[in-house]
Structure formats: structure tokens, C-alpha cells
Amino acid sequence: MFLFDNRVMEKYEDVIKKIKQGDKEAYNTIYEDHKKMIYKIISYHSNNCGDFTLDTESLFQEGCLALYKAVFTYEPDKGMSFSSYAFMAIKSRINTYIKRIRKNNSECLSLDAMENIDHRSAMSSLYVSENPVAYHRE
């Protein structure tokens, strides 16, 4: 994880207070300090998910959303530095995003997997005879 001394923790506590009060420029400080962390977390994941490739920009956007949410849910009195908390929040959100994408993609059929399905159950029996290949040839 990330180890920071008390000065860094206090720095982020002040910045977080400013963000919660509506200071939009204060978020840029946290964003710039944690941007490399988001890319590092993304680099742990393989971009190849079978029949499709993960979009790095989408993963980065999810990481930025997690960082923004971490600002508002961080509690300094719990004894954890903000950067450690943000790391766990970002990693969790990116993992959830990847799982959701993989699940949605697995529900789609690959053309390579078409040999293994029962065509009669996949197509309406009103329009398809017992042999779907013969039907399509007609």
C-alpha cells in the first residue's frame, strides 16, 4: 500500500474539507496526485477478455469516479490515510466494472461457440424446421 507521513495526511484532510465546501480547484490537487495510481491499478488487469478488449479510457473513468466518491466517504478518524482508502475504493470499483462487462459479454454468443448450441431451442420453432441448416439453405 501507500505509506505517508502525518503531514501528507493533514494536507489531504484540508483539501477534502475544501472540496466538500464546494472548491472545485481543490479536487484537481487530489486528482493529479492519484492519477498515476489509477493507471497503475488498470495495468494490473489484462485488457483481453476473450472476444473483446477492455477500453482503458472506460477503466480510467471508473477510477476517477471512485476517487471522487472516496473524497466524500473518507473518514480520517478511522486511522487510514486517504491514499490507501482511495486505492481500495478505486481497485474495488474497477474490479466490479470488469466483472460486469465480462458477465454481460458472456451472455452474448461468440460465432466460435455457435457449433455447441442447440439451434432448435435458440430459434423459434414456428419458422424453423427440425434442421435449421436446411431451413436456411431453402
Side-chain angles (χ1 to χ4, degrees):
M1 293 280 181
F2 300 93
L3 299 175
F4 293 97
D5 62 10
N6 287 337
R7 291 184 311 250
V8 174
M9 286 181 68
E10 291 171 5
K11 171 189 164 193
Y12 284 131
E13 287 179 19
D14 293 339
V15 173
I16 290 170
K17 286 178 187 174
K18 289 179 183 178
I19 294 170
K20 289 180 179 180
Q21 294 170 352
D23 186 357
K24 294 179 182 178
E25 291 299 317
Y27 178 74
N28 288 337
T29 303
I30 288 183
Y31 170 77
E32 289 298 326
D33 290 349
H34 292 85
K35 183 169 46 174
K36 287 182 182 178
M37 179 197 304
I38 296 171
Y39 279 117
K40 184 74 170 172
I41 293 169
I42 291 170
S43 72
Y44 290 136
H45 299 285
S46 169
N47 286 345
N48 185 6
C49 291
D51 291 344
F52 69 101
T53 302
L54 292 172
D55 180 29
T56 303
E57 278 303 310
S58 295
L59 293 175
F60 183 75
Q61 196 171 38
E62 289 293 321
C64 290
L65 290 171
L67 179 63
Y68 187 77
K69 184 176 179 183
V71 167
F72 292 97
T73 58
Y74 174 66
E75 297 177 15
D77 57 335
K78 299 284 184 181
M80 180 182 276
S81 71
F82 173 75
S83 292
S84 295
Y85 180 76
F87 178 85
M88 292 188 324
I90 294 165
K91 186 175 179 182
S92 175
R93 179 147 183 160
I94 288 174
N95 285 338
T96 302
Y97 177 78
I98 291 172
K99 286 178 187 175
R100 187 175 68 235
I101 293 297
R102 284 184 176 158
K103 180 181 181 254
N104 289 342
N105 188 53
S106 69
E107 292 172 357
C108 299
L109 291 176
S110 168
L111 291 176
D112 297 332
M114 289 297 285
E115 300 170 353
N116 301 329
I117 65 168
D118 181 11
H119 295 285
R120 284 172 281 169
S121 64
M123 297 179 197
S124 171
S125 61
L126 295 174
Y127 301 108
V128 181
S129 64
E130 286 297 316
N131 186 350
V133 175
Y135 170 80
H136 287 289
R137 283 187 185 150
E138 291 175 9

